[in-house]
Amino acid sequence: MNKWGIVDIENKQLAMANTTVKLILMAFLFCAASVAARRARLYPTGSSAGTGGICKSLVVTQGYACQEHTVTTKDGYILGLQRIPASRSGQSAYKPPVLLQHGLMMDAVTWLMNPPAESLAFILADAGYDVWLSNSRGTNSSLQHTSLSPSDPAYWEWSWDELVAYDMPAVLQHVRSLTGQNMHYVGHSLGTLIALAAFSHKELVNMLRSAVLLSPIAYMNQVPSPLARSAAQIFLAEDIYWLGLHQLNPKGDAVNKLLKDICNIPGNDCSNLMSGFTGQNCCLNSSRSDVFLDHEPQSTATKNMIHLAQMIRTGTIAKFDYGNQDDNMNHYGQPTPPVYNMTSIPNDLPLYLSYGGKDLLADPADVKVLLGCFKDHDGDKLVIQYREDYAHADFVFGINADQVIYEPVMAFFRLH
Ligand SMILES: *[C@@H]1O[C@H](CO)[C@@H](O)[C@H](O)[C@H]1NC(C)=O
Ligand SMILES: *[C@@H]1O[C@H](CO)[C@@H](O)[C@H](O)[C@H]1NC(C)=O
Ligand SMILES: *[C@@H]1O[C@H](CO)[C@@H](O)[C@H](O)[C@H]1NC(C)=O
């Protein structure tokens, strides 16, 4: 069976026969896809998902203590967080808290999927850190809301602007107030974009010790992934259709249609969807793809995808564009969406940026534009790592990421 999203879309019979093509669509982040109705699992939309899942299924089973937490955002979303407060041997954390923030269509499982010796969350816990895992609104651990249900269109009325404005402050404040300490932050992919946008706010930066940005996406003007660019075009050309969907469930019909449209565009090679979106990952363990597909991909808001598509089109980092001056005026009090100012991140915030030569989403040309924003950053507070053979998913799932990425990241933590 297909591993890591290798799906032969040209074989239409196969695609049709599998009513549930599990695909990880999209994009900007990490995508894989696959098949097989036998593994089909519908999202527990509106169900009791929310507490208990990840700790119980992926952390306690590896012999680690784990706590499930919830925190409510100012706009009413109830987010699930997991905390690993001790090493496997049972020694309580004696180093500062570290908050791990996943990317698009992923959740905290990102950091737990490989065996403990290869998964960042377990490696940090064993090294003495107090590990916190966040789950963005709309993912399996964070489907609850004080008044809305995921079956209400209004529940999905958000883009990453709201992850910056509401999820990030709620999670940082929760960790800060429970531990009484400032934390290190590690983000992957979309988890880097929301950090870059949020950390221009002093009250958030004041809760940090450092920020590690793996596979940083910010400027996306030059994204070379033909599949991601096609997806962006389709979202923008048919935004009325897409906005009518509200929730983008990667296992649903709409995403199937989107993929078919993408793959029908001449020149698009859909023989390996994951590589087509993320770049050719060097170092994934194909025997882990079942674990991946048990938990991922996760739903997101369609509006979030359209927002990202706007960034691919414009190359700017700005708030969601409502498409006309009147609507923008209503939302922002100005005719165009406000721009996020990347250069207002404090120059003395310790920053570690790591990017890969094979990454088609955080592609080196765009990352270089981002690096230009840090030219005045304090020299001893900035580490830039370039890894020639890495693509988007290697940073979190690579079987050698413990040595390539996590060791130097922990050395960086020790300095700050
Ligand atoms: C969602 O969470 C529930 C428990 O909270 C769990 O049983 C289910 O397997 C999870 N689904 C996915 C796709 O992770
Ligand atoms: C790949 O995953 C399988 C299944 O979990 C595991 O047995 C194997 O040791 C892994 N290989 C590497 C190189 O990590
Ligand atoms: C961005 O922030 C920097 C530093 O605070 C400031 O000098 C610059 O003028 C700002 N740029 C814009 C476009 O607001």
Side-chain angles (χ1 to χ4, degrees):
M1 192 50 72
N2 303 300
K3 293 296 184 187
W4 288 106
I6 300 172
V7 145
D8 180 6
I9 286 274
E10 276 173 13
N11 184 344
K12 293 231 165 67
Q13 264 181 322
L14 174 73
M16 296 300 203
N18 289 282
T19 46
T20 314
V21 174
K22 292 175 161 184
L23 118 238
I24 297 186
L25 155 169
M26 235 351 239
F28 311 87
L29 225 203
F30 163 44
C31 325
S34 191
V35 195
R38 94 190 138 83
R39 305 178 55 78
R41 225 170 248 138
L42 289 177
Y43 274 85
T45 303
S47 78
S48 61
T51 52
I54 289 178
C55 271
K56 209 164 151 230
S57 62
L58 286 166
V59 182
V60 173
T61 45
Q62 299 284 5
Y64 291 77
C66 187
Q67 304 166 358
E68 294 278 352
H69 289 245
T70 57
V71 58
T72 303
T73 66
K74 279 196 177 135
D75 57 348
Y77 291 80
I78 301 169
L79 308 179
L81 281 163
Q82 290 81 33
R83 179 192 200 180
I84 310 176
S87 68
R88 179 146 57 174
S89 65
Q91 183 177 26
S92 295
Y94 56 94
K95 290 182 187 161
V98 183
L99 174 66
L100 306 183
Q101 171 63 52
H102 63 82
L104 183 68
M105 288 195 170
M106 300 294 296
D107 65 4
V109 173
T110 301
W111 313 104
L112 303 165
M113 217 190 66
N114 279 341
E118 295 171 3
S119 295
L120 182 57
F122 295 121
I123 290 172
L124 289 170
D126 284 334
Y129 291 96
D130 180 9
V131 180
W132 292 79
L133 309 176
S134 68
N135 296 271
S136 299
R137 58 183 62 191
T139 61
N140 199 32
S141 302
S142 301
L143 285 172
Q144 296 183 40
H145 187 278
T146 50
S147 64
L148 298 170
S149 133
S151 55
D152 299 326
Y155 176 93
W156 298 100
E157 191 50 44
W158 52 267
S159 77
W160 61 263
D161 288 335
E162 281 71 29
L163 305 185
V164 172
Y166 300 112
D167 286 21
M168 184 74 86
V171 169
L172 293 185
Q173 274 151 17
H174 183 81
V175 174
R176 178 73 182 73
S177 69
L178 264 90
T179 62
Q181 293 190 61
N182 287 351
M183 71 206 82
H184 298 290
Y185 176 95
V186 181
H188 176 236
S189 195
L190 190 65
T192 68
L193 174 62
I194 59 178
L196 290 163
F199 297 164
S200 53
H201 294 283
K202 229 182 164 29
E203 60 282 15
L204 296 186
V205 175
N206 286 344
M207 292 188 269
L208 297 180
R209 286 169 193 266
S210 76
V212 174
L213 308 181
L214 305 179
S215 200
I217 57 170
Y219 297 98
M220 298 206 285
N221 206 16
Q222 305 177 65
V223 162
S225 160
L227 302 190
R229 298 204 80 90
S230 301
Q233 275 163 18
I234 290 168
F235 274 118
L236 295 174
E238 299 179 30
D239 61 336
I240 308 256
Y241 169 81
W242 290 106
L243 277 174
L245 285 170
H246 310 291
Q247 172 184 7
L248 196 76
N249 177 349
K251 298 174 188 178
D253 291 343
V255 169
N256 271 337
K257 168 180 155 19
L258 173 64
L259 279 173
K260 276 191 204 129
D261 289 350
I262 291 173
C263 298
N264 282 337
I265 295 173
N268 277 356
D269 175 8
C270 286
S271 58
N272 185 335
L273 284 173
M274 167 107 132
S275 297
F277 279 113
T278 66
Q280 185 69 55
N281 295 287
C282 60
C283 302
L284 306 187
N285 180 347
S286 62
S287 352
R288 306 297 300 171
S289 62
D290 281 2
V291 185
F292 176 79
L293 290 170
D294 274 350
H295 298 278
E296 313 296 328
Q298 299 281 323
S299 285
T300 189
T302 304
K303 186 174 174 183
N304 191 31
M305 301 305 288
I306 294 177
H307 191 183
L308 291 163
Q310 291 172 349
M311 295 169 67
I312 291 188
R313 179 181 58 187
T314 62
T316 57
I317 306 173
K319 292 197 175 181
F320 184 85
D321 187 349
Y322 285 88
N324 65 72
Q325 298 198 352
D326 288 348
D327 286 344
N328 283 332
M329 206 67 191
N330 285 339
H331 282 91
Y332 306 123
Q334 59 183 72
T336 55
V339 171
Y340 289 100
N341 187 349
M342 294 290 128
T343 50
S344 51
I345 291 175
N347 286 336
D348 59 355
L349 174 68
L351 264 186
Y352 183 113
L353 286 107
S354 185
Y355 68 112
K358 297 288 189 302
D359 196 330
L360 293 184
L361 293 175
D363 61 285
D366 280 323
V367 172
K368 282 190 184 115
V369 176
L370 175 65
L371 295 178
C373 299
F374 299 117
K375 61 183 191 317
D376 295 330
H377 211 81
D378 295 356
D380 60 345
K381 298 285 168 62
L382 183 63
V383 175
I384 294 166
Q385 179 186 25
Y386 174 69
R387 178 78 188 187
E388 178 75 46
D389 59 341
Y390 262 34
H392 209 65
D394 289 314
F395 288 89
V396 282
F397 299 134
I399 52 173
N400 57 355
D402 55 333
Q403 285 140 41
V404 173
I405 311 288
Y406 310 152
E407 286 292 335
V409 161
M410 287 194 291
F412 171 79
F413 285 166
R414 287 193 288 274
L415 296 176
H416 303 288

